[in-house]
Amino acid sequence: LTLARRLAQEFELELEATWLFDEFFAEFSKRHDNAQLLHRMQALNSQGTISPEEWEAASAHFTHTHTHT
């Protein structure tokens, strides 16, 4: 988290929230504009999700949301 905070300060961003990736995905992938972006990125399989192996790897990571100060 230290690196994330340093980068945020450098770019005048304020840390708004920290999420586990699976929590972030569950919350934000439901929004229409985000779902469209995931589709354009070809990030999801034909069932609209990612493989169990990808979930396992992704769930070990954090996602940070920021606002510009």
Short mmCIF file of all heavy atoms in Angstrom, two decimals:
data_model
loop_
_atom_site.label_atom_id
_atom_site.label_comp_id
_atom_site.label_asym_id
_atom_site.label_seq_id
_atom_site.Cartn_x
_atom_site.Cartn_y
_atom_site.Cartn_z
N LEU A 1 0.82 -1.19 0.00
CA LEU A 1 0.00 0.00 0.00
C LEU A 1 0.86 1.26 0.00
O LEU A 1 0.44 2.28 -0.49
CB LEU A 1 -0.93 -0.02 1.20
CG LEU A 1 -2.22 0.74 1.07
CD1 LEU A 1 -3.04 0.27 -0.10
CD2 LEU A 1 -3.02 0.64 2.34
N THR A 2 2.06 1.17 0.49
CA THR A 2 2.94 2.32 0.53
C THR A 2 3.22 2.86 -0.87
O THR A 2 3.16 4.07 -1.08
CB THR A 2 4.28 1.96 1.23
OG1 THR A 2 3.97 1.43 2.50
CG2 THR A 2 5.16 3.16 1.38
N LEU A 3 3.52 1.98 -1.81
CA LEU A 3 3.77 2.42 -3.18
C LEU A 3 2.53 3.07 -3.77
O LEU A 3 2.61 4.12 -4.41
CB LEU A 3 4.20 1.23 -4.05
CG LEU A 3 4.40 1.54 -5.53
CD1 LEU A 3 5.48 2.60 -5.72
CD2 LEU A 3 4.75 0.28 -6.28
N ALA A 4 1.37 2.49 -3.53
CA ALA A 4 0.12 3.07 -4.04
C ALA A 4 -0.09 4.47 -3.48
O ALA A 4 -0.50 5.38 -4.20
CB ALA A 4 -1.06 2.16 -3.69
N ARG A 5 0.18 4.66 -2.21
CA ARG A 5 0.02 5.98 -1.60
C ARG A 5 1.00 6.99 -2.18
O ARG A 5 0.64 8.13 -2.44
CB ARG A 5 0.19 5.89 -0.09
CG ARG A 5 -0.99 5.27 0.59
CD ARG A 5 -0.87 5.38 2.10
NE ARG A 5 -2.03 4.78 2.71
CZ ARG A 5 -2.01 3.96 3.72
NH1 ARG A 5 -0.86 3.64 4.28
NH2 ARG A 5 -3.11 3.44 4.21
N ARG A 6 2.24 6.56 -2.38
CA ARG A 6 3.24 7.46 -2.96
C ARG A 6 2.85 7.88 -4.37
O ARG A 6 2.94 9.06 -4.73
CB ARG A 6 4.61 6.77 -3.00
CG ARG A 6 5.49 7.12 -1.84
CD ARG A 6 6.97 6.83 -2.06
NE ARG A 6 7.31 5.86 -3.07
CZ ARG A 6 7.76 4.64 -2.84
NH1 ARG A 6 7.89 4.20 -1.61
NH2 ARG A 6 8.07 3.84 -3.82
N LEU A 7 2.41 6.95 -5.17
CA LEU A 7 1.99 7.27 -6.53
C LEU A 7 0.77 8.18 -6.53
O LEU A 7 0.68 9.12 -7.32
CB LEU A 7 1.70 6.00 -7.32
CG LEU A 7 2.90 5.17 -7.73
CD1 LEU A 7 2.47 3.83 -8.28
CD2 LEU A 7 3.77 5.93 -8.71
N ALA A 8 -0.15 7.91 -5.64
CA ALA A 8 -1.35 8.76 -5.54
C ALA A 8 -0.97 10.19 -5.20
O ALA A 8 -1.47 11.14 -5.81
CB ALA A 8 -2.30 8.20 -4.49
N GLN A 9 -0.07 10.37 -4.26
CA GLN A 9 0.38 11.72 -3.90
C GLN A 9 1.07 12.39 -5.07
O GLN A 9 0.85 13.57 -5.34
CB GLN A 9 1.33 11.66 -2.71
CG GLN A 9 0.64 11.38 -1.40
CD GLN A 9 1.62 11.26 -0.25
OE1 GLN A 9 2.82 11.03 -0.45
NE2 GLN A 9 1.11 11.40 0.96
N GLU A 10 1.90 11.65 -5.78
CA GLU A 10 2.63 12.21 -6.91
C GLU A 10 1.68 12.75 -7.98
O GLU A 10 1.95 13.77 -8.61
CB GLU A 10 3.54 11.13 -7.52
CG GLU A 10 4.37 11.62 -8.68
CD GLU A 10 5.27 10.53 -9.24
OE1 GLU A 10 5.65 9.61 -8.48
OE2 GLU A 10 5.59 10.61 -10.44
N PHE A 11 0.56 12.09 -8.18
CA PHE A 11 -0.40 12.49 -9.20
C PHE A 11 -1.60 13.23 -8.62
O PHE A 11 -2.63 13.35 -9.28
CB PHE A 11 -0.84 11.27 -10.02
CG PHE A 11 0.27 10.72 -10.86
CD1 PHE A 11 1.02 9.64 -10.42
CD2 PHE A 11 0.59 11.30 -12.08
CE1 PHE A 11 2.06 9.14 -11.19
CE2 PHE A 11 1.62 10.81 -12.86
CZ PHE A 11 2.36 9.72 -12.42
N GLU A 12 -1.45 13.70 -7.38
CA GLU A 12 -2.48 14.48 -6.70
C GLU A 12 -3.82 13.73 -6.64
O GLU A 12 -4.87 14.27 -6.94
CB GLU A 12 -2.64 15.86 -7.33
CG GLU A 12 -1.38 16.69 -7.25
CD GLU A 12 -1.52 18.06 -7.91
OE1 GLU A 12 -2.61 18.39 -8.41
OE2 GLU A 12 -0.53 18.79 -7.90
N LEU A 13 -3.73 12.48 -6.26
CA LEU A 13 -4.92 11.64 -6.11
C LEU A 13 -5.09 11.30 -4.64
O LEU A 13 -4.12 11.08 -3.92
CB LEU A 13 -4.78 10.35 -6.91
CG LEU A 13 -4.61 10.51 -8.41
CD1 LEU A 13 -4.29 9.17 -9.05
CD2 LEU A 13 -5.86 11.11 -9.03
N GLU A 14 -6.33 11.23 -4.22
CA GLU A 14 -6.64 10.84 -2.85
C GLU A 14 -7.22 9.44 -2.85
O GLU A 14 -8.15 9.14 -3.60
CB GLU A 14 -7.64 11.82 -2.24
CG GLU A 14 -7.95 11.54 -0.80
CD GLU A 14 -8.86 12.59 -0.20
OE1 GLU A 14 -8.84 13.74 -0.66
OE2 GLU A 14 -9.61 12.23 0.72
N LEU A 15 -6.65 8.56 -2.02
CA LEU A 15 -7.15 7.20 -1.94
C LEU A 15 -8.57 7.23 -1.39
O LEU A 15 -8.83 7.74 -0.31
CB LEU A 15 -6.25 6.35 -1.04
CG LEU A 15 -6.61 4.88 -0.90
CD1 LEU A 15 -6.54 4.17 -2.24
CD2 LEU A 15 -5.68 4.21 0.10
N GLU A 16 -9.49 6.71 -2.17
CA GLU A 16 -10.90 6.70 -1.80
C GLU A 16 -11.29 5.39 -1.12
O GLU A 16 -11.98 5.38 -0.12
CB GLU A 16 -11.74 6.93 -3.05
CG GLU A 16 -13.19 7.18 -2.81
CD GLU A 16 -13.87 7.55 -4.11
OE1 GLU A 16 -14.26 6.61 -4.85
OE2 GLU A 16 -14.00 8.74 -4.40
N ALA A 17 -10.83 4.27 -1.70
CA ALA A 17 -11.18 2.96 -1.14
C ALA A 17 -10.19 1.91 -1.62
O ALA A 17 -9.57 2.07 -2.67
CB ALA A 17 -12.59 2.57 -1.57
N THR A 18 -10.07 0.87 -0.85
CA THR A 18 -9.27 -0.30 -1.22
C THR A 18 -10.19 -1.51 -1.17
O THR A 18 -10.91 -1.70 -0.20
CB THR A 18 -8.08 -0.48 -0.26
OG1 THR A 18 -7.26 0.69 -0.33
CG2 THR A 18 -7.26 -1.70 -0.62
N TRP A 19 -10.18 -2.28 -2.23
CA TRP A 19 -11.06 -3.44 -2.35
C TRP A 19 -10.22 -4.68 -2.67
O TRP A 19 -9.20 -4.58 -3.34
CB TRP A 19 -12.00 -3.27 -3.54
CG TRP A 19 -12.81 -2.05 -3.62
CD1 TRP A 19 -12.38 -0.77 -3.81
CD2 TRP A 19 -14.22 -1.97 -3.55
NE1 TRP A 19 -13.44 0.08 -3.86
CE2 TRP A 19 -14.59 -0.63 -3.71
CE3 TRP A 19 -15.22 -2.91 -3.37
CZ2 TRP A 19 -15.90 -0.20 -3.70
CZ3 TRP A 19 -16.53 -2.50 -3.37
CH2 TRP A 19 -16.87 -1.15 -3.52
N LEU A 20 -10.70 -5.84 -2.24
CA LEU A 20 -10.20 -7.08 -2.81
C LEU A 20 -10.76 -7.14 -4.23
O LEU A 20 -11.89 -6.68 -4.47
CB LEU A 20 -10.67 -8.29 -2.01
CG LEU A 20 -10.01 -8.47 -0.65
CD1 LEU A 20 -10.69 -9.58 0.12
CD2 LEU A 20 -8.53 -8.78 -0.82
N PHE A 21 -10.00 -7.67 -5.17
CA PHE A 21 -10.43 -7.63 -6.56
C PHE A 21 -11.80 -8.25 -6.76
O PHE A 21 -12.65 -7.71 -7.47
CB PHE A 21 -9.42 -8.31 -7.48
CG PHE A 21 -9.89 -8.36 -8.91
CD1 PHE A 21 -9.79 -7.24 -9.71
CD2 PHE A 21 -10.49 -9.50 -9.42
CE1 PHE A 21 -10.27 -7.26 -11.01
CE2 PHE A 21 -10.96 -9.53 -10.72
CZ PHE A 21 -10.85 -8.41 -11.52
N ASP A 22 -12.06 -9.41 -6.13
CA ASP A 22 -13.35 -10.07 -6.37
C ASP A 22 -14.51 -9.23 -5.85
O ASP A 22 -15.58 -9.20 -6.46
CB ASP A 22 -13.37 -11.49 -5.80
CG ASP A 22 -12.96 -11.58 -4.34
OD1 ASP A 22 -12.39 -10.62 -3.80
OD2 ASP A 22 -13.21 -12.64 -3.74
N GLU A 23 -14.32 -8.50 -4.75
CA GLU A 23 -15.36 -7.61 -4.24
C GLU A 23 -15.60 -6.44 -5.21
O GLU A 23 -16.73 -6.07 -5.50
CB GLU A 23 -14.99 -7.06 -2.87
CG GLU A 23 -14.90 -8.11 -1.79
CD GLU A 23 -14.28 -7.58 -0.52
OE1 GLU A 23 -13.60 -6.52 -0.55
OE2 GLU A 23 -14.47 -8.22 0.53
N PHE A 24 -14.49 -5.88 -5.69
CA PHE A 24 -14.56 -4.77 -6.65
C PHE A 24 -15.29 -5.21 -7.92
O PHE A 24 -16.19 -4.54 -8.41
CB PHE A 24 -13.15 -4.29 -6.98
CG PHE A 24 -13.10 -3.18 -7.98
CD1 PHE A 24 -13.25 -1.86 -7.59
CD2 PHE A 24 -12.90 -3.45 -9.32
CE1 PHE A 24 -13.20 -0.83 -8.50
CE2 PHE A 24 -12.85 -2.42 -10.25
CZ PHE A 24 -13.00 -1.11 -9.84
N PHE A 25 -14.91 -6.37 -8.43
CA PHE A 25 -15.52 -6.88 -9.66
C PHE A 25 -17.01 -7.10 -9.47
O PHE A 25 -17.82 -6.70 -10.32
CB PHE A 25 -14.84 -8.19 -10.08
CG PHE A 25 -15.34 -8.73 -11.38
CD1 PHE A 25 -14.81 -8.29 -12.57
CD2 PHE A 25 -16.37 -9.66 -11.41
CE1 PHE A 25 -15.29 -8.77 -13.79
CE2 PHE A 25 -16.85 -10.16 -12.61
CZ PHE A 25 -16.30 -9.71 -13.79
N ALA A 26 -17.40 -7.73 -8.36
CA ALA A 26 -18.82 -7.99 -8.10
C ALA A 26 -19.62 -6.69 -8.04
O ALA A 26 -20.74 -6.62 -8.54
CB ALA A 26 -18.98 -8.76 -6.79
N GLU A 27 -19.04 -5.65 -7.46
CA GLU A 27 -19.75 -4.38 -7.33
C GLU A 27 -19.81 -3.60 -8.64
O GLU A 27 -20.86 -3.12 -9.03
CB GLU A 27 -19.06 -3.53 -6.26
CG GLU A 27 -19.63 -2.14 -6.08
CD GLU A 27 -21.01 -2.13 -5.44
OE1 GLU A 27 -21.35 -3.09 -4.72
OE2 GLU A 27 -21.74 -1.15 -5.68
N PHE A 28 -18.70 -3.48 -9.33
CA PHE A 28 -18.62 -2.56 -10.46
C PHE A 28 -18.89 -3.18 -11.82
O PHE A 28 -19.21 -2.46 -12.76
CB PHE A 28 -17.27 -1.84 -10.45
CG PHE A 28 -17.14 -0.87 -9.31
CD1 PHE A 28 -16.52 -1.25 -8.14
CD2 PHE A 28 -17.70 0.39 -9.40
CE1 PHE A 28 -16.42 -0.37 -7.08
CE2 PHE A 28 -17.61 1.28 -8.34
CZ PHE A 28 -16.97 0.89 -7.17
N SER A 29 -18.80 -4.49 -11.95
CA SER A 29 -19.05 -5.10 -13.25
C SER A 29 -20.53 -5.09 -13.60
O SER A 29 -20.89 -5.29 -14.76
CB SER A 29 -18.51 -6.53 -13.30
OG SER A 29 -19.21 -7.36 -12.40
N LYS A 30 -21.40 -4.84 -12.64
CA LYS A 30 -22.84 -4.78 -12.89
C LYS A 30 -23.25 -3.50 -13.60
O LYS A 30 -24.30 -3.46 -14.23
CB LYS A 30 -23.61 -4.88 -11.57
CG LYS A 30 -23.41 -6.18 -10.85
CD LYS A 30 -24.08 -6.13 -9.49
CE LYS A 30 -23.68 -7.34 -8.67
NZ LYS A 30 -24.11 -7.21 -7.28
N ARG A 31 -22.44 -2.48 -13.50
CA ARG A 31 -22.78 -1.20 -14.14
C ARG A 31 -22.61 -1.32 -15.65
O ARG A 31 -21.64 -1.88 -16.14
CB ARG A 31 -21.87 -0.09 -13.60
CG ARG A 31 -22.08 0.15 -12.12
CD ARG A 31 -21.19 1.26 -11.65
NE ARG A 31 -21.33 1.43 -10.22
CZ ARG A 31 -20.64 2.29 -9.52
NH1 ARG A 31 -19.74 3.06 -10.10
NH2 ARG A 31 -20.81 2.39 -8.22
N HIS A 32 -23.57 -0.79 -16.37
CA HIS A 32 -23.62 -0.95 -17.83
C HIS A 32 -22.33 -0.50 -18.51
O HIS A 32 -21.79 -1.23 -19.34
CB HIS A 32 -24.82 -0.18 -18.39
CG HIS A 32 -24.95 -0.30 -19.87
ND1 HIS A 32 -25.31 -1.49 -20.48
CD2 HIS A 32 -24.74 0.60 -20.85
CE1 HIS A 32 -25.31 -1.30 -21.79
NE2 HIS A 32 -24.99 -0.05 -22.04
N ASP A 33 -21.83 0.69 -18.17
CA ASP A 33 -20.63 1.19 -18.85
C ASP A 33 -19.41 0.32 -18.53
O ASP A 33 -18.56 0.09 -19.39
CB ASP A 33 -20.37 2.66 -18.53
CG ASP A 33 -20.29 2.95 -17.04
OD1 ASP A 33 -20.86 2.19 -16.24
OD2 ASP A 33 -19.67 3.95 -16.68
N ASN A 34 -19.32 -0.20 -17.33
CA ASN A 34 -18.21 -1.08 -16.97
C ASN A 34 -18.33 -2.43 -17.67
O ASN A 34 -17.33 -2.99 -18.12
CB ASN A 34 -18.15 -1.28 -15.46
CG ASN A 34 -17.81 -0.02 -14.72
OD1 ASN A 34 -17.25 0.91 -15.27
ND2 ASN A 34 -18.17 0.03 -13.45
N ALA A 35 -19.55 -2.94 -17.78
CA ALA A 35 -19.77 -4.21 -18.48
C ALA A 35 -19.37 -4.08 -19.95
O ALA A 35 -18.75 -4.98 -20.52
CB ALA A 35 -21.22 -4.65 -18.35
N GLN A 36 -19.69 -2.94 -20.55
CA GLN A 36 -19.30 -2.70 -21.95
C GLN A 36 -17.79 -2.67 -22.09
O GLN A 36 -17.23 -3.21 -23.04
CB GLN A 36 -19.90 -1.39 -22.46
CG GLN A 36 -21.37 -1.46 -22.74
CD GLN A 36 -21.88 -0.14 -23.29
OE1 GLN A 36 -21.48 0.93 -22.86
NE2 GLN A 36 -22.80 -0.24 -24.25
N LEU A 37 -17.11 -2.02 -21.14
CA LEU A 37 -15.66 -1.96 -21.18
C LEU A 37 -15.05 -3.36 -21.07
O LEU A 37 -14.14 -3.71 -21.82
CB LEU A 37 -15.13 -1.05 -20.06
CG LEU A 37 -13.61 -0.96 -19.94
CD1 LEU A 37 -12.99 -0.42 -21.22
CD2 LEU A 37 -13.24 -0.10 -18.75
N LEU A 38 -15.55 -4.16 -20.14
CA LEU A 38 -15.05 -5.53 -20.00
C LEU A 38 -15.25 -6.32 -21.29
O LEU A 38 -14.39 -7.11 -21.70
CB LEU A 38 -15.75 -6.23 -18.84
CG LEU A 38 -15.36 -5.74 -17.45
CD1 LEU A 38 -16.34 -6.29 -16.42
CD2 LEU A 38 -13.94 -6.13 -17.12
N HIS A 39 -16.38 -6.11 -21.96
CA HIS A 39 -16.65 -6.78 -23.23
C HIS A 39 -15.64 -6.32 -24.31
O HIS A 39 -15.06 -7.16 -25.01
CB HIS A 39 -18.08 -6.51 -23.68
CG HIS A 39 -18.42 -7.11 -25.00
ND1 HIS A 39 -18.58 -8.48 -25.17
CD2 HIS A 39 -18.59 -6.55 -26.22
CE1 HIS A 39 -18.84 -8.71 -26.44
NE2 HIS A 39 -18.87 -7.57 -27.09
N ARG A 40 -15.43 -5.01 -24.42
CA ARG A 40 -14.48 -4.49 -25.42
C ARG A 40 -13.06 -4.99 -25.15
O ARG A 40 -12.29 -5.22 -26.08
CB ARG A 40 -14.48 -2.96 -25.40
CG ARG A 40 -15.65 -2.35 -26.14
CD ARG A 40 -15.43 -0.88 -26.46
NE ARG A 40 -14.93 -0.09 -25.36
CZ ARG A 40 -15.68 0.61 -24.49
NH1 ARG A 40 -16.99 0.58 -24.60
NH2 ARG A 40 -15.13 1.30 -23.53
N MET A 41 -12.72 -5.15 -23.87
CA MET A 41 -11.39 -5.64 -23.50
C MET A 41 -11.26 -7.16 -23.68
O MET A 41 -10.18 -7.71 -23.55
CB MET A 41 -11.10 -5.29 -22.03
CG MET A 41 -10.96 -3.83 -21.76
SD MET A 41 -10.91 -3.44 -20.00
CE MET A 41 -9.52 -4.41 -19.44
N GLN A 42 -12.39 -7.82 -23.99
CA GLN A 42 -12.44 -9.27 -24.11
C GLN A 42 -11.90 -9.93 -22.83
O GLN A 42 -11.16 -10.91 -22.86
CB GLN A 42 -11.68 -9.75 -25.34
CG GLN A 42 -12.25 -9.21 -26.63
CD GLN A 42 -11.47 -9.64 -27.86
OE1 GLN A 42 -10.43 -10.28 -27.78
NE2 GLN A 42 -12.00 -9.28 -29.00
N ALA A 43 -12.31 -9.35 -21.69
CA ALA A 43 -11.82 -9.80 -20.39
C ALA A 43 -12.61 -10.97 -19.82
O ALA A 43 -12.16 -11.61 -18.89
CB ALA A 43 -11.86 -8.64 -19.40
N LEU A 44 -13.79 -11.23 -20.38
CA LEU A 44 -14.65 -12.27 -19.83
C LEU A 44 -14.83 -13.42 -20.81
O LEU A 44 -14.75 -13.24 -22.02
CB LEU A 44 -16.03 -11.68 -19.50
CG LEU A 44 -16.03 -10.45 -18.59
CD1 LEU A 44 -17.44 -9.92 -18.43
CD2 LEU A 44 -15.39 -10.77 -17.26
N ASN A 45 -15.12 -14.61 -20.26
CA ASN A 45 -15.38 -15.75 -21.13
C ASN A 45 -16.84 -15.73 -21.59
O ASN A 45 -17.58 -14.79 -21.29
CB ASN A 45 -15.02 -17.07 -20.41
CG ASN A 45 -15.83 -17.29 -19.15
OD1 ASN A 45 -16.94 -16.78 -18.98
ND2 ASN A 45 -15.27 -18.07 -18.23
N SER A 46 -17.28 -16.77 -22.27
CA SER A 46 -18.65 -16.79 -22.83
C SER A 46 -19.74 -16.81 -21.76
O SER A 46 -20.88 -16.48 -22.04
CB SER A 46 -18.82 -17.98 -23.77
OG SER A 46 -18.61 -19.19 -23.07
N GLN A 47 -19.39 -17.18 -20.53
CA GLN A 47 -20.36 -17.16 -19.43
C GLN A 47 -20.39 -15.80 -18.71
O GLN A 47 -21.08 -15.64 -17.72
CB GLN A 47 -20.06 -18.26 -18.40
CG GLN A 47 -20.38 -19.66 -18.88
CD GLN A 47 -19.29 -20.23 -19.78
OE1 GLN A 47 -18.11 -19.99 -19.57
NE2 GLN A 47 -19.69 -20.96 -20.80
N GLY A 48 -19.59 -14.83 -19.19
CA GLY A 48 -19.58 -13.50 -18.59
C GLY A 48 -18.77 -13.39 -17.33
O GLY A 48 -18.98 -12.49 -16.52
N THR A 49 -17.82 -14.29 -17.14
CA THR A 49 -16.97 -14.25 -15.95
C THR A 49 -15.54 -14.63 -16.37
O THR A 49 -15.23 -14.63 -17.55
CB THR A 49 -17.53 -15.18 -14.85
OG1 THR A 49 -16.79 -14.98 -13.65
CG2 THR A 49 -17.52 -16.64 -15.24
N ILE A 50 -14.71 -14.93 -15.40
CA ILE A 50 -13.35 -15.39 -15.70
C ILE A 50 -13.20 -16.80 -15.13
O ILE A 50 -13.99 -17.24 -14.30
CB ILE A 50 -12.27 -14.43 -15.16
CG1 ILE A 50 -12.37 -14.24 -13.64
CG2 ILE A 50 -12.36 -13.09 -15.85
CD1 ILE A 50 -11.31 -13.34 -13.05
N SER A 51 -12.19 -17.51 -15.59
CA SER A 51 -12.00 -18.91 -15.20
C SER A 51 -11.69 -19.01 -13.71
O SER A 51 -11.22 -18.05 -13.09
CB SER A 51 -10.87 -19.53 -16.00
OG SER A 51 -9.62 -19.01 -15.56
N PRO A 52 -11.91 -20.19 -13.12
CA PRO A 52 -11.57 -20.38 -11.70
C PRO A 52 -10.10 -20.08 -11.40
O PRO A 52 -9.78 -19.52 -10.35
CB PRO A 52 -11.89 -21.86 -11.45
CG PRO A 52 -12.94 -22.19 -12.46
CD PRO A 52 -12.59 -21.36 -13.67
N GLU A 53 -9.22 -20.43 -12.33
CA GLU A 53 -7.79 -20.15 -12.13
C GLU A 53 -7.52 -18.64 -12.11
O GLU A 53 -6.73 -18.15 -11.31
CB GLU A 53 -6.96 -20.82 -13.23
CG GLU A 53 -7.00 -22.33 -13.22
CD GLU A 53 -8.24 -22.91 -13.90
OE1 GLU A 53 -8.98 -22.17 -14.57
OE2 GLU A 53 -8.47 -24.12 -13.73
N GLU A 54 -8.19 -17.92 -13.02
CA GLU A 54 -8.04 -16.46 -13.05
C GLU A 54 -8.63 -15.82 -11.78
O GLU A 54 -8.05 -14.88 -11.24
CB GLU A 54 -8.70 -15.88 -14.29
CG GLU A 54 -7.97 -16.25 -15.57
CD GLU A 54 -8.76 -15.90 -16.82
OE1 GLU A 54 -9.98 -16.15 -16.85
OE2 GLU A 54 -8.14 -15.37 -17.76
N TRP A 55 -9.77 -16.34 -11.30
CA TRP A 55 -10.36 -15.85 -10.05
C TRP A 55 -9.39 -16.04 -8.90
O TRP A 55 -9.22 -15.16 -8.06
CB TRP A 55 -11.66 -16.56 -9.73
CG TRP A 55 -12.86 -15.92 -10.32
CD1 TRP A 55 -13.73 -16.48 -11.20
CD2 TRP A 55 -13.35 -14.58 -10.09
NE1 TRP A 55 -14.73 -15.58 -11.53
CE2 TRP A 55 -14.51 -14.41 -10.86
CE3 TRP A 55 -12.90 -13.52 -9.32
CZ2 TRP A 55 -15.24 -13.23 -10.88
CZ3 TRP A 55 -13.63 -12.33 -9.34
CH2 TRP A 55 -14.77 -12.20 -10.11
N GLU A 56 -8.77 -17.22 -8.85
CA GLU A 56 -7.83 -17.51 -7.76
C GLU A 56 -6.68 -16.51 -7.76
O GLU A 56 -6.31 -15.97 -6.72
CB GLU A 56 -7.31 -18.93 -7.88
CG GLU A 56 -6.38 -19.32 -6.75
CD GLU A 56 -5.88 -20.75 -6.88
OE1 GLU A 56 -6.39 -21.52 -7.70
OE2 GLU A 56 -4.95 -21.09 -6.13
N ALA A 57 -6.12 -16.25 -8.93
CA ALA A 57 -5.01 -15.31 -9.02
C ALA A 57 -5.46 -13.89 -8.72
O ALA A 57 -4.79 -13.15 -8.00
CB ALA A 57 -4.38 -15.38 -10.41
N ALA A 58 -6.60 -13.49 -9.27
CA ALA A 58 -7.08 -12.12 -9.10
C ALA A 58 -7.51 -11.83 -7.66
O ALA A 58 -7.35 -10.71 -7.17
CB ALA A 58 -8.24 -11.84 -10.05
N SER A 59 -8.05 -12.83 -6.97
CA SER A 59 -8.56 -12.58 -5.62
C SER A 59 -7.44 -12.29 -4.63
O SER A 59 -7.71 -11.83 -3.53
CB SER A 59 -9.41 -13.76 -5.15
OG SER A 59 -8.61 -14.92 -5.01
N ALA A 60 -6.21 -12.54 -5.01
CA ALA A 60 -5.07 -12.23 -4.14
C ALA A 60 -4.64 -10.77 -4.28
O ALA A 60 -3.76 -10.32 -3.54
CB ALA A 60 -3.90 -13.14 -4.47
N HIS A 61 -5.27 -10.02 -5.17
CA HIS A 61 -4.86 -8.65 -5.44
C HIS A 61 -5.88 -7.64 -4.93
O HIS A 61 -7.05 -7.94 -4.79
CB HIS A 61 -4.64 -8.44 -6.95
CG HIS A 61 -3.54 -9.29 -7.49
ND1 HIS A 61 -2.22 -8.96 -7.33
CD2 HIS A 61 -3.57 -10.47 -8.15
CE1 HIS A 61 -1.48 -9.90 -7.89
NE2 HIS A 61 -2.27 -10.83 -8.38
N PHE A 62 -5.38 -6.46 -4.68
CA PHE A 62 -6.22 -5.36 -4.25
C PHE A 62 -6.48 -4.41 -5.41
O PHE A 62 -5.67 -4.29 -6.33
CB PHE A 62 -5.55 -4.55 -3.13
CG PHE A 62 -5.50 -5.28 -1.83
CD1 PHE A 62 -4.36 -5.97 -1.45
CD2 PHE A 62 -6.58 -5.28 -0.98
CE1 PHE A 62 -4.30 -6.64 -0.25
CE2 PHE A 62 -6.54 -5.95 0.23
CZ PHE A 62 -5.40 -6.64 0.60
N THR A 63 -7.59 -3.72 -5.35
CA THR A 63 -7.94 -2.67 -6.30
C THR A 63 -8.12 -1.40 -5.49
O THR A 63 -8.72 -1.42 -4.42
CB THR A 63 -9.26 -3.01 -7.04
OG1 THR A 63 -9.08 -4.24 -7.71
CG2 THR A 63 -9.61 -1.93 -8.02
N HIS A 64 -7.58 -0.31 -5.99
CA HIS A 64 -7.67 0.97 -5.30
C HIS A 64 -8.47 1.95 -6.15
O HIS A 64 -8.27 1.99 -7.37
CB HIS A 64 -6.29 1.56 -5.03
CG HIS A 64 -5.36 0.61 -4.33
ND1 HIS A 64 -5.48 0.33 -3.00
CD2 HIS A 64 -4.33 -0.11 -4.79
CE1 HIS A 64 -4.54 -0.54 -2.67
NE2 HIS A 64 -3.83 -0.83 -3.74
N THR A 65 -9.35 2.69 -5.54
CA THR A 65 -10.05 3.76 -6.25
C THR A 65 -9.57 5.08 -5.69
O THR A 65 -9.32 5.21 -4.48
CB THR A 65 -11.59 3.63 -6.13
OG1 THR A 65 -11.95 3.60 -4.75
CG2 THR A 65 -12.08 2.37 -6.81
N HIS A 66 -9.43 6.05 -6.58
CA HIS A 66 -8.90 7.37 -6.21
C HIS A 66 -9.79 8.47 -6.77
O HIS A 66 -10.50 8.28 -7.74
CB HIS A 66 -7.48 7.56 -6.79
CG HIS A 66 -6.48 6.60 -6.27
ND1 HIS A 66 -6.30 5.36 -6.81
CD2 HIS A 66 -5.62 6.71 -5.23
CE1 HIS A 66 -5.34 4.73 -6.14
NE2 HIS A 66 -4.93 5.52 -5.18
N THR A 67 -9.67 9.63 -6.16
CA THR A 67 -10.28 10.85 -6.70
C THR A 67 -9.18 11.88 -6.86
O THR A 67 -8.21 11.88 -6.11
CB THR A 67 -11.38 11.41 -5.76
OG1 THR A 67 -10.82 11.58 -4.46
CG2 THR A 67 -12.57 10.48 -5.68
N HIS A 68 -9.33 12.70 -7.86
CA HIS A 68 -8.33 13.76 -8.11
C HIS A 68 -8.58 14.88 -7.13
O HIS A 68 -9.68 15.35 -6.94
CB HIS A 68 -8.43 14.27 -9.55
CG HIS A 68 -7.23 15.05 -9.95
ND1 HIS A 68 -7.15 16.40 -9.74
CD2 HIS A 68 -6.07 14.67 -10.52
CE1 HIS A 68 -5.98 16.81 -10.19
NE2 HIS A 68 -5.31 15.78 -10.67
N THR A 69 -7.49 15.33 -6.46
CA THR A 69 -7.63 16.41 -5.47
C THR A 69 -7.38 17.75 -6.08
O THR A 69 -6.84 17.89 -7.13
CB THR A 69 -6.67 16.19 -4.28
OG1 THR A 69 -5.33 16.09 -4.78
CG2 THR A 69 -7.04 14.93 -3.54
#
